[in-house]
Amino acid sequence: GRTIAVFTSGGDSQGMNSAVRSVVRMGIYLGCKVYFINEGYQGMVDGGDNIRLADWNSVSDIIQKGGTIIGSARCADFRTPEGRLKACFNLLERDITNLVCIGGDGSLTGANQFRKDWPDLIKDLVQQGKITQEKADANPNIQIVGMVGSIDNDFCGTDMTIGTDSALQRIIEAIDAVVSTAQSHQRSFVVEVMGRHCGYLALVTALASEADFCFIPEWPPPSNWRDILCAKLQQQRKEGQRLNIIIVAEGAIDRDGNPITAELVKDVVNKTLKYDTRVTVLGHVQRGGAPSAFDRLLGCRMGAEAVLALMEMTPESEPCVISIDGNQMVRVPLMQCVARTQKVQAAMNEKNWELAVQLRGRS
Ligand code: F6P
């Protein structure tokens, strides 16, 4: 069997534990040795107790937990060649040449860079006398499989990322709660949701909560958005609605690229319409707590597929990402997904909104 290591990197998300559990159990089932790497790339660079052998029971009772039991971090050291050299040595010391990375696009891009550097890294380690030439020859490269763990659903190449569904449930529950109090007091509420530069969470929850208005980064409103917004809210009130819900993605902007914040929207509604308006920022509540059934299952299925993919890989194989396409688990070249995800951001920077929206969709 092979020797595999699994780690979580970047912001955590609900369902990561399910993915870790699945990698460990599928790996052991297929006769592999599976290691945990604690604290993401930082643990890989620091080595020692951060890299420890997993067994069947070490992943019992974690599927229902939010976050990641093996810890996660955003790591500056791994961005340096010295950091990657240490990481390479720590892995080779344990004969680990198969990696499962669960994280966002930054973490997966880092994994790709690591693989590109690997041949030079092992050369350096031989020169420094840290590993033998035989060891270097036996491990000419590292095999890498990624899974996207993020509540944002901002990664091109997969229909859903691990954690998004749980975040949606949490947001919907929160909006339902806000609606009931808004109704009593005839108030308007501006709800800010996460998503970084991606409007998925905002758009989907706006649809599912019957919101009156929604602001997302990929489709900024025209410059007279204040008038359009107020006219819409007024119309809803005229039709008998006692409240308004406006969803603002944290990355929302106008067509000139200026941020549209929840506070700004509140002030507009308050001053123009004189409606009693409040802001609710949901924050990290969206990222915590128990994963939904969907995310548990997604983590399970992606984790198992990740190990199966590794089993077929050779040192020549390019890294892949496990994606959900429809209801199928598929393998997609990692760099293809990263490149497309970066194109979305580039299109947004160039204010090419049509292209940004098009690229966000399925290919
Ligand atoms: O990427 C997930 C996410 O929760 C984003 O929605 C948000 O912008 C960011 O992470 C917050 O990061 P941090 O937890 O480091 O404050």
Side-chain angles (χ1 to χ4, degrees), residues 221-282:
S223 53
N224 62 338
W225 63 265
R226 291 169 180 80
D227 302 336
I228 300 172
L229 169 70
C230 290
K232 169 74 172 150
L233 301 186
Q234 233 170 356
Q235 180 203 337
Q236 296 302 123
R237 293 282 180 132
K238 267 193 202 132
E239 284 171 11
Q241 204 171 287
R242 288 171 56 88
L243 75 151
N244 300 109
I245 299 292
I246 303 147
I247 313 285
V248 180
E250 64 177 350
I253 46 175
D254 66 19
R255 293 234 157 176
D256 298 320
N258 304 310
I260 296 182
T261 62
E263 280 298 327
L264 174 63
V265 174
K266 182 197 89 171
D267 288 344
V268 168
V269 178
N270 206 264
K271 287 193 186 118
T272 318
L273 298 173
K274 309 275 180 291
Y275 296 166
D276 186 359
T277 308
R278 305 300 167 103
V279 168
T280 302
V281 178
L282 297 181

Side-chain angles (χ1 to χ4, degrees), residues 62-213:
I62 66 167
I63 199 168
Q64 61 278 69
K65 294 197 173 104
T68 163
I69 58 148
I70 53 176
S72 190
R74 302 188 203 277
C75 172
D77 288 346
F78 193 74
R79 291 173 198 267
T80 67
E82 300 76 46
R84 289 197 286 274
L85 192 69
K86 282 189 197 159
C88 177
F89 176 73
N90 288 332
L91 296 183
L92 276 179
E93 216 184 7
R94 297 162 178 88
D95 291 318
I96 300 168
T97 46
N98 296 272
L99 276 187
V100 180
C101 170
I102 309 171
D105 63 341
S107 308
L108 296 173
T109 307
N112 191 62
Q113 187 61 42
F114 191 41
R115 183 178 173 278
K116 275 197 192 147
D117 290 356
W118 186 274
D120 290 335
L121 295 173
I122 52 175
K123 228 182 269 167
D124 286 355
L125 289 175
V126 172
Q127 264 168 15
Q128 293 176 12
K130 291 200 172 141
I131 61 166
T132 61
Q133 187 61 50
E134 292 72 50
K135 187 138 192 158
D137 292 344
N139 302 289
N141 218 323
I142 185 151
Q143 286 82 242
I144 295 172
V145 176
M147 280 182 261
V148 192
S150 168
I151 63 166
D152 301 337
N153 207 23
D154 58 351
F155 193 80
C156 295
T158 184
D159 290 350
M160 284 291 261
T161 56
I162 299 169
T164 299
D165 184 68
S166 306
L168 291 177
Q169 306 294 330
R170 191 64 43 77
I171 298 168
I172 288 296
E173 266 176 48
I175 299 175
D176 286 350
V178 161
V179 163
S180 59
T181 171
Q183 158 93 13
S184 311
H185 294 270
Q186 301 190 54
R187 279 177 174 156
S188 298
F189 270 84
V190 187
V191 181
E192 184 195 288
V193 305
M194 279 186 166
R196 212 179 285 267
H197 303 295
C198 180
Y200 184 86
L201 291 176
L203 187 64
V204 171
T205 50
L207 284 170
S209 67
E210 218 183 34
D212 298 312
F213 218 91

Side-chain angles (χ1 to χ4, degrees), residues 18-24 26-27 100 102 145 147 162 297-309 322 329:
S18 173
V20 168
R21 171 182 180 273
S22 180
V23 169
V24 169
M26 190 61 163
V100 180
I102 309 171
V145 176
M147 280 182 261
I162 299 169
L297 208 56
L298 190 62
C300 271
R301 294 180 71 196
M302 284 187 169
E305 185 64 21
V307 176
L308 292 176
I322 307 302
M329 294 301 122

